[in-house]
Amino acid sequence: MTQSLTRPDADIATDWWKRGVIYQIYPRSFQDSNDDGIGDLRGIETRLDYLQALGVAAIWISPFFPSPMADFGYDVSDYCGVDPMFGTLADFDSLLSAAHARGLKVILDFVPCHSSDQHPWFVESRSSRDNPKRDWYIWRDAKPDGSPPTNWIGEFGGSAWTWDAASGQYYLSVFLSEQPALNWRNPELRAAMLGAMRFWLDRGVDGFRVDAIIYAAPDVEGGDHPPNPDWIEAMGPARSHLQTRMSHQPGVYDVVREMRRLIDSYPNRVLIGETAGTLDQVIRYYGEDLDLFHLPFYFSLLTTPWNAKAIAGVIDGYESALPEGAWPTLVLGNHDISRIASRVGVGQARVAATLLLTLRGTPTLYQGDELGMDNAIIPPEAVQDPWERRVPGLGLGRDPARTPMPWQPAANAGFTSGAPWLPVHLPPEGDVAAQSADPGSMLNFVRELIALRGRESALSDGGYRDVLCENDVYVFERRAGSACLLVCLNFSAAPRFVPVGGKVLLSSHAGRAGTRLQTLTLQPNEAIILVP
Ligand code: NOJ
Ligand code: CA
């Protein structure tokens, strides 16, 4: 256990991205404005009041760039535009200024490691072996027997290499064949991609979440991956081998350093990394001189068994490993994984939200998690996700966590008047309108947590200390100077005695706030914040 209090942060006042909560919008599913069944930029703009009332500081919008949508926008065919499905550049500018007028920052999703196979760069690159853009992608000869250059497996199953019969070589495609890997070792490609980032920075965006960055510098010459001795089928084919060459190679850090230099040449921007990996790997993405990502996502809470001991162990390990000055950042859900309410059980959803929103660092909240959204059941004929289509039945499909936001009692819960691209699914506590009207709802609880975090310096910038972890209960302290709070989480569905006392500032359960307790008996699934 971490016994000493981790250090409060000195730059909290100047670095806006340390202060508030980031809210992830999956634009296809947030709000449709033109009844084609797909969410869009104008739709987001009409819902900014909701986000302002929720109290988040920034929105990160998943890709809305021109795309054939093989991976729903993570296959970009023009890095400097807006797909007509989502609107126009003018719609984006309007959304950006409306967000800024409300004090909301806007973070884009930059997808640097692969483009669409329909991107003009790739069309050129594949047109012949001596095309000037050939080297903008990663091409290699087949082995003498015609097989791919290495045994690497793509994230969505099958070989990570795609054969191009016309030019007689394989190209690397870490996800779908429709997502050829870009070659960041080529200086012209590098300049073009940094130019695309500059395009959006000049328009006024506040930063980027950088997609799948771990694949920026694959070591093809390093050869095959060894088998994973711990693999079981449920992990999916991509985990059957250890990715010793394809991801986290040394060249990745140079790429991130260049992105960061660009970001730092603009005032007040943030660089966030999708840095899936072990704790050691994630820590490296801060950079030895903190010159890489401001916020490299640490995803461990997505996969850690949901019990007090395991979760406290992850947090203590993270807090101890963070270098001086590195700001933590945790995630409990996103568009790639089962809904948190389904992973931990609907009863634990408030405990999970309290954990996310009271730990040190910048939390990212995925749209709908503030409503306690659980996974939707997607009938086979409604499946959209290419991963589920390629590797069906293993539970890898991402549609269940991507269903439209349920807003109000109207056709398709107010998301669209057309036919929604994925079925509309209501969370157990109902839509936004119902939850707004219910003081005890998950939505109002999350609003209170976010407001409390903004008000209490112990939560926004205080240090962290683990106080106790036993009997399904995890208690930690947050302290800034003399301001001190205790966060007490009951991971079980039974009451639990806890040897701490104080005044209840906030509870997940009705009728507790404001009471003074000598000792605490947490109710089943209860989360409490105490002033000791
Ligand atoms: C990570 C994104 O979050 C995911 O949705 C996407 O499929 C892959 N990267 C490929 O870009
Ligand atoms: Ca639409």
Side-chain angles (χ1 to χ4, degrees):
M1 281 198 181
T2 313
Q3 290 305 339
S4 59
L5 192 72
T6 57
R7 182 179 292 230
D9 192 87
D11 304 323
I12 188 87
T14 48
D15 296 336
W16 64 265
W17 46 269
K18 289 181 177 167
R19 280 211 77 86
V21 175
I22 299 174
Y23 185 91
Q24 182 193 353
I25 293 181
Y26 192 68
R28 292 184 76 85
S29 297
F30 198 61
Q31 176 67 60
D32 182 17
S33 74
N34 62 350
D35 300 334
D36 63 356
I38 296 170
D40 44 55
L41 297 179
R42 283 182 179 209
I44 297 174
E45 189 173 334
T46 64
R47 294 295 183 182
L48 288 178
D49 289 345
Y50 169 77
L51 297 169
Q52 197 175 18
L54 185 58
V56 298
I59 52 175
W60 143 34
I61 313 174
S62 283
F64 51 76
F65 316 107
S67 165
M69 302 290 160
D71 190 19
F72 294 113
Y74 285 94
D75 47 321
V76 178
S77 55
D78 173 4
Y79 284 96
C80 300
V82 172
D83 194 286
M85 179 184 283
F86 293 120
T88 62
L89 265 176
D91 292 336
F92 175 75
D93 290 340
S94 167
L95 169 60
L96 185 65
S97 55
H100 283 169
R102 287 169 172 77
L104 283 168
K105 306 281 186 184
V106 177
I107 297 167
L108 300 198
D109 204 321
F110 190 62
V111 188
C113 293
H114 45 265
S115 72
S116 161
D117 63 347
Q118 304 302 306
H119 195 297
W121 299 341
F122 188 70
V123 173
E124 273 196 55
S125 182
R126 85 185 312 172
S127 66
S128 81
R129 288 199 188 200
D130 49 18
N131 182 278
K133 290 206 171 54
R134 186 68 168 182
D135 187 48
W136 284 34
Y137 293 83
I138 300 176
W139 293 94
R140 289 292 184 279
D141 290 333
K143 283 187 175 161
D145 65 357
S147 62
T150 66
N151 70 348
W152 301 356
I153 294 171
E155 283 297 309
F156 296 148
S159 173
W161 295 95
T162 304
W163 178 245
D164 180 57
S167 66
Q169 279 191 312
Y170 282 97
Y171 63 87
L172 184 64
S173 49
V174 173
F175 293 88
L176 299 172
S177 294
E178 293 90 336
Q179 293 166 294
L182 286 159
N183 179 17
W184 276 81
R185 294 191 171 89
N186 180 295
E188 288 171 12
L189 176 278
R190 239 176 223 242
M193 292 301 276
L194 293 171
M197 293 178 99
R198 202 172 287 120
F199 173 85
W200 294 105
L201 290 166
D202 288 341
R203 278 198 121 72
V205 306
D206 300 289
F208 298 99
R209 171 267 192 189
V210 182
D211 183 73
I213 188 65
I214 64 173
Y215 299 108
D219 177 13
V220 177
E221 276 57 52
D224 284 352
H225 286 156
N228 175 0
D230 301 321
W231 182 74
I232 53 167
E233 201 193 351
M235 294 174 174
R239 302 279 83 81
S240 65
H241 288 68
L242 300 172
Q243 270 185 8
T244 50
R245 300 290 179 185
M246 192 159 80
S247 52
H248 301 292
Q249 298 304 299
V252 172
Y253 310 107
D254 299 334
V255 170
V256 181
R257 194 168 294 109
E258 274 200 60
M259 290 180 178
R260 175 64 183 269
R261 254 188 237 133
L262 174 66
I263 284 279
D264 283 350
S265 68
Y266 292 77
N268 297 324
R269 312 297 163 105
V270 68
L271 195 64
I272 306 173
E274 195 207 7
T275 45
T278 62
L279 180 55
D280 287 351
Q281 285 167 334
V282 172
I283 295 292
R284 287 197 67 181
Y285 286 97
Y286 284 100
E288 278 177 24
D289 301 320
L290 301 184
D291 56 347
L292 302 182
F293 287 117
H294 295 106
L295 300 174
F297 277 143
Y298 184 45
F299 290 117
S300 202
L301 291 178
L302 301 183
T303 47
T304 302
W306 196 254
N307 64 70
K309 227 186 175 63
I311 296 292
V314 164
I315 300 304
D316 287 352
Y318 185 42
E319 284 284 0
S320 324
L322 283 163
E324 177 82 36
W327 190 247
T329 187
L330 288 159
V331 177
L332 267 186
N334 60 34
H335 62 296
D336 288 332
I337 186 155
S338 160
R339 286 277 181 187
I340 179 70
S342 293
R343 291 205 315 279
V344 304
V346 169
Q348 279 283 305
R350 283 168 173 74
V351 171
T354 308
L355 179 79
L356 177 72
L357 296 168
T358 60
L359 280 168
R360 206 166 70 87
T362 301
T364 298
L365 184 63
Y366 176 49
Q367 78 179 39
D369 281 351
E370 75 277 22
L371 303 173
M373 279 283 275
D374 54 348
N375 287 338
I377 294 170
I378 309 293
E381 66 281 5
V383 168
Q384 300 284 339
D385 183 19
W387 198 356
E388 179 67 25
R389 290 197 172 148
R390 285 172 62 108
V391 194
L394 291 181
L396 300 171
R398 300 167 294 178
D399 295 331
R402 293 178 173 180
T403 55
M405 273 292 279
W407 294 103
Q408 66 237 18
N412 298 311
F415 165 69
T416 182
S417 309
W421 77 286
L422 273 176
V424 171
H425 167 70
L426 280 185
E429 295 188 34
D431 58 28
V432 168
Q435 294 202 33
S436 294
D438 172 3
S441 69
M442 174 78 180
L443 175 59
N444 278 318
F445 181 61
V446 171
R447 279 184 186 146
E448 285 181 63
L449 278 169
I450 295 175
L452 195 66
R453 191 186 168 85
R455 260 196 327 266
E456 297 286 336
S457 67
L459 291 182
S460 56
D461 54 294
Y464 160 93
R465 186 169 67 97
D466 165 334
V467 173
L468 74 83
C469 174
E470 56 196 26
N471 207 15
D472 304 320
V473 172
Y474 173 26
V475 177
F476 56 87
E477 176 186 304
R478 300 292 318 281
R479 180 192 287 273
S482 59
C484 176
L485 295 176
L486 289 179
V487 179
C488 312
L489 306 173
N490 182 359
F491 281 73
S492 84
R496 286 287 185 262
F497 174 76
V498 191
V500 297
K503 184 178 165 210
V504 179
L505 209 53
L506 183 65
S507 164
S508 54
H509 288 44
R512 300 272 267 181
T515 54
R516 248 170 221 295
L517 307 165
Q518 288 304 317
T519 58
L520 170 64
T521 299
L522 286 169
Q523 294 173 25
N525 301 312
E526 189 177 23
I528 271 193
I529 304 176
L530 282 181
V531 187

